[in-house]
Amino acid sequence: MTKRDLLGLIGKSAGATAMYMAMTELGQAQASPFKGPIKLDGDPKGTSVLILGAGVAGMTAALELSRAGYKVQVLEFNNRIGGRSMTIKGGDTFTELGGATQTCQFAPGNYINPGPWRIPWHHHGLMHYCRELGVQLETFQQMNYNAYIHNTKAFGGKPQRYGAVQSDYYGHVAELLAKATRQDALGDAITREDGEILLESLRSWGALDKNMRYVKGNESSDRRGWVKGPGGGLTAEPIPSDPMDMHTVLQSGMWRAIGGNISLDHQQAIFQPVGGMENVAKGFARAAGHLVRLNSKVTAIKQDASGVTADYIDTKTGQKLTAKADWCVCAIPLTILSQIPMNVSPELDAAIRAVPYSPSVKVGLEFKRRFWEEDEQIFGGITSTDLPNAQISYPSYGYHSKGPGVLLGAYTGGAYSYELTTLPPAERIQKVLEWGSQIHPQYKDEFMNGVVVSWHRMPFIQGCFGMWNAQNRADHYKNLCQIDGRIVLAGEHASYVGGWQEGGITSALDAIGRLHQRVVAG
Amino acid sequence: MTKRDLLGLIGKSAGATAMYMAMTELGQAQASPFKGPIKLDGDPKGTSVLILGAGVAGMTAALELSRAGYKVQVLEFNNRIGGRSMTIKGGDTFTELGGATQTCQFAPGNYINPGPWRIPWHHHGLMHYCRELGVQLETFQQMNYNAYIHNTKAFGGKPQRYGAVQSDYYGHVAELLAKATRQDALGDAITREDGEILLESLRSWGALDKNMRYVKGNESSDRRGWVKGPGGGLTAEPIPSDPMDMHTVLQSGMWRAIGGNISLDHQQAIFQPVGGMENVAKGFARAAGHLVRLNSKVTAIKQDASGVTADYIDTKTGQKLTAKADWCVCAIPLTILSQIPMNVSPELDAAIRAVPYSPSVKVGLEFKRRFWEEDEQIFGGITSTDLPNAQISYPSYGYHSKGPGVLLGAYTGGAYSYELTTLPPAERIQKVLEWGSQIHPQYKDEFMNGVVVSWHRMPFIQGCFGMWNAQNRADHYKNLCQIDGRIVLAGEHASYVGGWQEGGITSALDAIGRLHQRVVAG
């Protein structure tokens, strides 16, 4: 199957992917307006709320509504709480659409977070619940100067260290701007006095020498690394390394990797739960798990003047059941919700169908040893590549562990995800091994086993996250979020923080705040 | 006492401080040439080595020489192994020169590393021993975009977030260079084709808008942060923030903070031992602690054709003793060694006296709660200030802990260290509280207790680290490191990685490698 055929298959959603990419470049998928714990003052007078879906949005709504005095019941399709916020460890089994079943073979202590995997410091809602629910955090190593940038079309496919590329780009930018400044080429863009400070700053930031040049020497090696670093005794003197020239840096395209590392969602400090992202779900489960009925597949949602009912099937027993409440917070992903009969307004119905979902594939690979640490001194962080696997992320936990190690071997989206998923799981992993071994030749000898999560094949979601763009946002976003009769939607798809747990949490808080106002006013 | 008086007191070493600062700017204090475990092949035939000082240099020598078959004895002044590589926790007591005793009051789990506190990924020697000795590592949060830069002379003394300053500096640098590029002002410094790529890269890296301007909007807010971040539901739309103009950024001087965060010694990945730096010493103690005699103050070192003797006093009993061996690896700091009679060549004697030591003061402060996390969303990282405390570093462990928290309230050097240390410890802490409360007003209500380590007052070292400059390096470094008869020196002072444990380790390995060659050849 060619990429052209695939694009045909993908249809509308590929366009949306491109639009989403453009959108994230425009910074639409950032921070949070969370300002502290929600206050739902006023008596709900015995009002009941049915919550559909026990991901972080549903669980946030369940926890806060039950605290405010509502009667809450949550229906969850899966056999666990958390939705996409999950962790795969040795012994875990899952079956995707089409029937392929995988059982994870990882050694004890190893894991992969196939869904959300990072918590930026400014995701205040999620950070709040981590603190409140006792979810222990550790630093996620996002930027590692000793990880690689890999481009099949540059340096003969030989990966380069991130730090060397960034240093050389910064150094040459500084040198060029210094030259323009000294030649008074900036015109009235800067005063002469500021120009003097600018030059001083460029020398400091860009590691320029006393002639304002970015050249081989102690200054540049103190950023990009040495050929032989300084040491002790009589073998101590360091040997500087040769910077790349600006033509090489620009032509390599590797400067593209820098922007992503300094964007708000990837800036230090950024965290992961100790032991896996599932600990967020476990925290919610400790606080509100008693409100959740698992293995409950919703088949129809009806509302009228007296309340909301949801028909559902117990997936273990096949029993058909119905839940009823005064209101409904529906946190079912739009991919699934669009397949469930539900009497809502034409506007909400149109909105539900207007948001395509990103496909995404994540692959966890277990190797006999942490060769990336032992051989290449890469402790955590991310290697980026133009190969379809896109990223290799090294574990930010258990540094120096001597047993088998697990890394994220691919985090890919768009057309590649569909292409990869036409193959059986074992062959997807084989592809990812072929790509990765171009960066780490050790893959071939050290590989033990792997697990692949293709989000558009996961039965409970059938996609990775909702993809908004300027057009469907303008046409449908408000309609998606408005309370429709007795139903209100929540989830990352009902937010400006798409694909992040923070979107689910802040959308749930916004939805229940409005619901509560209706209830206490009514 | 005025600063002028102090400079008079400090004399020669203040000049050396300035020179060291210039030297570190020149990148003399970086990485490591460590290339893997040392191999000492060949039979030492029962040769004995006396090692003086059980810091990381002495312990490295002890461990490897004993493995190679040498008879090893280590004499250590302190009642513990590790030297400057230590951790202060609740209940720890220490007495400085002059007699002032402090007992640390920190709550269980809190600590401060008053000496080395960071392990860069490229300190390969130390990383090797951490792995081998089972010293568990976690990420040290060096750069935190949400920590502050504080300058009493800018923004009316109001601290600014690091990320906003860096984003604005980068954005304006990108805009200025883009302007020069588009006006063909760079001349032959860049080809037209590269110029096109440069513009594309500047837009991506600098977060410029479609007109190549760094202005208020989604692009810049995605770097510097939003007024109101994006969220969920109907309160979701983000509000962009206003960047500072370039004049403000340049005049503030805050751009100075950027270079230090991207220098090789401070680049991610960078680590700390879980539970405190003392775990490095504990690792060495597990492996070679049986070779160490504690509480042993060396009073004289003599060598002749038959071997080396060290006179020492047991500081617990007052007993005078003598140790004897074929060779001596002397890892006593130069500050102390220069006070001990020792018959060495005039060249080594001169070298020992040629290296002044940096004074440094570190202050640990315990507060009732982690207000920096709760109120200001600062999780680890470092705030820099032009006040004498210089740095405030927030703990990179136990995020979200609800009990008392400890931060590093000052890490200051040079003249300030002497000035501060003219005061009794409690008053030093009071000064640090006054400075810090200009950045964190919570200091006043939340302070519980503190501990101050003034390295030039610590009896076992009387300084912080050896300060080399181009002149004394040229005149004395080789003489300091040469084997002198039967004595060879080791320690960070005998390295190009001054003030870092890596200097001590690599100098010890270099020294014992040369010693071993003599022994097997002899």
Side-chain angles (χ1 to χ4, degrees):
Chain A
M1 182 180 282
T2 67
K3 216 168 278 176
R4 195 187 186 116
D5 295 335
L6 275 163
L7 284 170
L9 279 179
I10 296 156
K12 238 174 74 182
S13 83
T17 304
M19 281 189 282
Y20 182 79
M21 296 304 166
M23 194 189 81
T24 49
E25 277 179 19
L26 292 172
Q28 299 286 338
Q30 303 308 336
S32 161
F34 181 86
K35 291 289 177 226
I38 193 167
K39 290 185 185 66
L40 299 176
D41 298 327
D43 186 357
K45 299 163 219 149
T47 302
S48 59
V49 181
L50 179 64
I51 296 171
L52 304 178
V56 294
M59 291 306 291
T60 299
L63 178 63
E64 298 295 355
L65 287 174
S66 64
R67 281 176 172 166
Y70 287 84
K71 294 179 198 158
V72 171
Q73 185 182 13
V74 187
L75 299 179
E76 167 56 42
F77 172 74
N78 284 317
N79 193 26
R80 56 171 182 80
I81 284 167
R84 283 160 281 182
S85 186
M86 61 187 287
T87 296
I88 296 179
K89 306 182 298 290
D92 290 341
T93 291
F94 62 97
T95 300
E96 60 182 40
L97 295 177
T101 294
Q102 297 174 65
T103 300
C104 180
Q105 308 291 328
F106 295 166
N110 286 338
Y111 68 86
I112 200 88
N113 292 321
W117 51 321
R118 299 179 277 215
I119 306 176
W121 65 265
H122 53 81
H123 283 193
H124 303 302
L126 181 51
M127 288 293 277
H128 163 76
Y129 285 107
C130 285
R131 181 169 197 265
E132 186 190 327
L133 302 172
V135 180
Q136 204 188 330
L137 301 180
E138 62 193 358
T139 298
F140 178 87
Q141 198 90 261
Q142 166 70 35
M143 184 192 251
N144 182 343
Y145 281 69
N146 207 41
Y148 295 121
I149 307 174
H150 175 251
N151 185 337
T152 49
K153 296 173 204 72
F155 303 102
K158 189 169 180 294
Q160 306 295 305
R161 300 286 184 173
Y162 177 86
V165 173
Q166 181 184 290
S167 298
D168 292 353
Y169 180 73
Y170 285 5
H172 289 299
V173 164
E175 179 180 326
L176 286 170
L177 184 54
K179 192 178 174 192
T181 306
R182 297 213 284 186
Q183 292 172 347
D184 282 330
L186 300 177
D188 58 2
I190 196 161
T191 65
R192 183 167 291 269
E193 187 200 349
D194 284 349
E196 290 301 317
I197 306 175
L198 176 61
L199 287 172
E200 191 188 346
S201 75
L202 293 171
R203 184 148 97 172
S204 158
W205 165 67
L208 305 185
D209 73 358
K210 63 184 193 307
N211 301 317
M212 301 299 283
R213 302 266 299 174
Y214 183 73
V215 291
K216 179 177 182 171
N218 293 339
E219 296 89 346
S220 58
S221 286
D222 182 32
R223 298 287 167 82
R224 69 188 320 282
W226 306 83
V227 166
K228 170 179 163 285
L234 293 179
T235 54
E237 204 166 353
I239 302 173
S241 62
D242 269 306
M244 297 181 267
D245 62 27
M246 188 54 148
H247 173 73
T248 304
V249 176
L250 290 172
Q251 292 288 337
S252 77
M254 289 186 175
W255 48 264
R256 290 178 201 280
I258 302 172
N261 268 330
I262 58 177
S263 69
L264 198 59
D265 273 342
H266 303 101
Q267 290 173 0
Q268 298 291 131
I270 183 166
F271 301 95
Q272 63 184 9
V274 175
M277 192 58 82
E278 68 178 7
N279 287 317
V280 169
K282 287 184 176 174
F284 276 110
R286 283 191 297 273
H290 60 286
L291 304 171
V292 182
R293 190 184 196 288
L294 300 172
N295 306 308
S296 302
K297 180 182 181 177
V298 174
T299 55
I301 302 165
K302 284 162 255 172
Q303 59 173 329
D304 60 26
S306 71
V308 184
T309 59
D311 296 336
Y312 63 101
I313 296 171
D314 184 309
T315 58
K316 293 286 180 196
T317 64
Q319 198 181 4
K320 292 183 179 182
L321 298 154
T322 297
K324 186 164 170 39
D326 299 319
W327 298 85
C328 174
V329 174
C330 179
I332 297 175
L334 302 180
T335 39
I336 305 297
L337 191 59
S338 60
Q339 302 174 43
I340 298 173
M342 176 168 66
N343 62 330
V344 292
S345 68
E347 290 78 12
L348 176 52
D349 188 66
I352 288 169
R353 292 164 205 288
V355 186
Y357 268 52
S358 164
S360 285
V361 177
K362 271 191 182 174
V363 177
L365 302 174
E366 184 166 58
F367 296 94
K368 294 174 197 158
R369 62 187 182 95
R370 293 184 171 215
F371 59 80
W372 53 92
E373 297 185 352
E374 293 175 26
D375 304 348
E376 297 166 277
Q377 293 79 52
I378 300 173
F379 298 89
I382 298 174
T383 284
S384 58
T385 171
D386 66 337
L387 288 168
N389 54 323
Q391 296 188 10
I392 296 173
S393 177
Y394 313 93
S396 298
Y397 63 92
Y399 299 116
H400 278 155
S401 295
K402 290 172 187 173
V406 166
L407 53 66
L408 177 71
Y411 179 18
T412 189
Y416 288 127
S417 302
Y418 291 106
E419 184 170 355
L420 205 55
T421 314
T422 58
L423 303 171
E427 291 179 35
R428 288 176 223 162
I429 289 168
Q430 200 53 46
K431 281 275 189 199
V432 169
L433 288 172
E434 285 165 25
W435 295 323
S437 63
Q438 295 183 43
I439 297 164
H440 296 291
Q442 303 98 321
Y443 265 39
K444 299 193 174 173
D445 287 337
E446 308 288 353
F447 176 68
M448 294 172 70
N449 62 81
V451 63
V452 49
V453 174
S454 305
W455 281 104
H456 50 296
R457 289 276 185 106
M458 294 292 269
F460 68 95
I461 168 85
Q462 300 176 20
C464 192
F465 54 87
M467 292 193 297
W468 290 99
N469 55 58
Q471 191 59 54
N472 65 5
R473 183 82 77 184
D475 293 346
H476 296 289
Y477 182 77
K478 280 187 184 163
N479 292 337
L480 190 85
C481 297
Q482 294 286 8
I483 298 176
D484 187 286
R486 295 180 163 271
I487 297 172
V488 64
L489 270 52
E492 58 80 19
H493 49 274
S495 84
Y496 274 62
V497 201
W500 292 87
Q501 294 171 94
E502 185 72 2
I505 289 172
T506 53
S507 92
L509 294 174
D510 180 80
I512 65 173
R514 286 181 282 130
L515 185 66
H516 182 69
Q517 284 176 355
R518 292 263 183 111
V519 169
V520 295
Chain B
M1 183 179 281
T2 68
K3 216 170 277 176
R4 195 189 184 113
D5 295 336
L6 275 163
L7 284 170
L9 278 181
I10 296 157
K12 238 174 74 183
S13 83
T17 305
M19 281 189 281
Y20 183 79
M21 295 304 165
M23 192 189 78
T24 49
E25 276 179 20
L26 291 171
Q28 299 285 337
Q30 303 305 337
S32 161
F34 182 86
K35 290 288 177 228
I38 193 168
K39 289 184 187 66
L40 299 176
D41 298 328
D43 185 358
K45 299 163 221 151
T47 302
S48 60
V49 181
L50 178 64
I51 297 172
L52 304 178
V56 293
M59 292 307 290
T60 299
L63 178 62
E64 298 295 355
L65 287 174
S66 64
R67 281 174 172 167
Y70 287 83
K71 294 180 199 157
V72 172
Q73 186 183 12
V74 187
L75 298 180
E76 167 56 41
F77 171 75
N78 284 318
N79 193 27
R80 58 172 180 80
I81 285 167
R84 282 160 282 182
S85 186
M86 61 187 288
T87 296
I88 297 179
K89 306 184 297 292
D92 291 341
T93 291
F94 61 98
T95 300
E96 61 182 40
L97 294 178
T101 294
Q102 297 174 66
T103 300
C104 179
Q105 308 291 327
F106 295 167
N110 286 339
Y111 68 85
I112 200 88
N113 292 322
W117 51 321
R118 299 179 277 213
I119 305 177
W121 65 265
H122 53 80
H123 283 191
H124 303 302
L126 181 51
M127 288 293 275
H128 162 76
Y129 285 108
C130 285
R131 182 170 197 265
E132 186 189 328
L133 302 173
V135 180
Q136 204 188 332
L137 300 180
E138 63 192 358
T139 297
F140 178 87
Q141 199 91 260
Q142 166 71 36
M143 184 192 250
N144 182 341
Y145 282 68
N146 208 39
Y148 295 122
I149 307 174
H150 175 252
N151 185 336
T152 48
K153 295 172 205 73
F155 303 102
K158 190 169 179 295
Q160 305 296 304
R161 300 285 184 173
Y162 178 86
V165 173
Q166 181 184 290
S167 299
D168 292 354
Y169 180 73
Y170 285 4
H172 289 298
V173 163
E175 180 180 326
L176 285 170
L177 184 55
K179 191 177 176 192
T181 306
R182 297 214 285 185
Q183 291 173 346
D184 283 330
L186 300 178
D188 57 2
I190 196 160
T191 65
R192 184 168 292 269
E193 187 200 350
D194 284 349
E196 290 301 317
I197 306 175
L198 176 61
L199 287 172
E200 190 188 347
S201 75
L202 292 170
R203 185 148 98 173
S204 158
W205 165 67
L208 305 185
D209 74 359
K210 64 183 192 308
N211 301 316
M212 302 299 284
R213 301 267 299 175
Y214 183 73
V215 291
K216 180 177 182 171
N218 293 339
E219 296 90 346
S220 58
S221 287
D222 181 32
R223 297 286 168 82
R224 70 187 319 285
W226 307 83
V227 166
K228 169 178 163 286
L234 294 178
T235 54
E237 203 166 353
I239 302 173
S241 62
D242 270 306
M244 297 181 266
D245 62 28
M246 189 52 149
H247 174 72
T248 304
V249 176
L250 290 173
Q251 293 288 336
S252 76
M254 289 186 174
W255 48 265
R256 289 179 201 279
I258 302 173
N261 268 330
I262 58 177
S263 69
L264 199 59
D265 273 343
H266 303 100
Q267 291 174 0
Q268 298 290 130
I270 183 165
F271 301 96
Q272 64 183 9
V274 174
M277 192 57 81
E278 67 177 8
N279 287 317
V280 170
K282 286 182 177 175
F284 276 112
R286 282 192 298 274
H290 60 286
L291 304 171
V292 182
R293 190 184 197 288
L294 300 172
N295 307 307
S296 302
K297 180 182 179 177
V298 174
T299 55
I301 302 166
K302 285 162 255 171
Q303 59 173 328
D304 59 27
S306 71
V308 183
T309 59
D311 296 337
Y312 64 99
I313 297 171
D314 184 310
T315 57
K316 293 287 181 195
T317 64
Q319 196 180 5
K320 293 184 179 182
L321 298 155
T322 297
K324 185 162 173 37
D326 299 319
W327 298 85
C328 173
V329 175
C330 179
I332 296 176
L334 302 181
T335 40
I336 305 296
L337 191 59
S338 60
Q339 302 174 44
I340 298 174
M342 177 167 66
N343 62 329
V344 292
S345 67
E347 291 78 13
L348 176 53
D349 188 68
I352 289 168
R353 291 164 206 290
V355 187
Y357 268 52
S358 164
S360 286
V361 176
K362 273 191 179 173
V363 178
L365 303 174
E366 185 166 58
F367 297 94
K368 293 174 199 159
R369 63 187 182 95
R370 293 183 170 216
F371 59 81
W372 53 92
E373 296 185 354
E374 293 175 27
D375 304 349
E376 297 166 276
Q377 293 77 52
I378 300 173
F379 298 88
I382 298 174
T383 284
S384 59
T385 171
D386 66 337
L387 288 167
N389 54 323
Q391 296 188 9
I392 297 173
S393 177
Y394 313 93
S396 297
Y397 64 91
Y399 300 116
H400 277 156
S401 296
K402 290 173 186 173
V406 165
L407 53 67
L408 176 72
Y411 179 18
T412 189
Y416 287 127
S417 301
Y418 291 107
E419 183 168 357
L420 206 55
T421 314
T422 58
L423 304 170
E427 290 179 34
R428 289 176 222 161
I429 290 168
Q430 201 52 45
K431 280 277 187 197
V432 169
L433 289 171
E434 285 166 23
W435 295 324
S437 63
Q438 295 182 44
I439 298 164
H440 296 291
Q442 304 99 319
Y443 264 40
K444 298 190 176 174
D445 287 337
E446 307 288 354
F447 176 69
M448 294 173 70
N449 63 79
V451 62
V452 49
V453 174
S454 306
W455 281 104
H456 50 295
R457 289 276 185 107
M458 294 293 268
F460 69 94
I461 168 83
Q462 301 176 20
C464 191
F465 55 85
M467 292 192 297
W468 290 98
N469 55 59
Q471 191 58 55
N472 65 7
R473 183 82 77 184
D475 294 345
H476 297 288
Y477 182 77
K478 281 188 183 161
N479 292 337
L480 190 85
C481 296
Q482 294 286 8
I483 298 176
D484 188 287
R486 294 178 164 273
I487 297 171
V488 64
L489 269 54
E492 57 81 19
H493 49 274
S495 84
Y496 274 62
V497 201
W500 292 87
Q501 293 172 92
E502 185 70 3
I505 289 172
T506 53
S507 91
L509 294 173
D510 180 81
I512 64 173
R514 286 182 283 129
L515 185 66
H516 183 67
Q517 284 176 353
R518 290 263 182 112
V519 169
V520 295

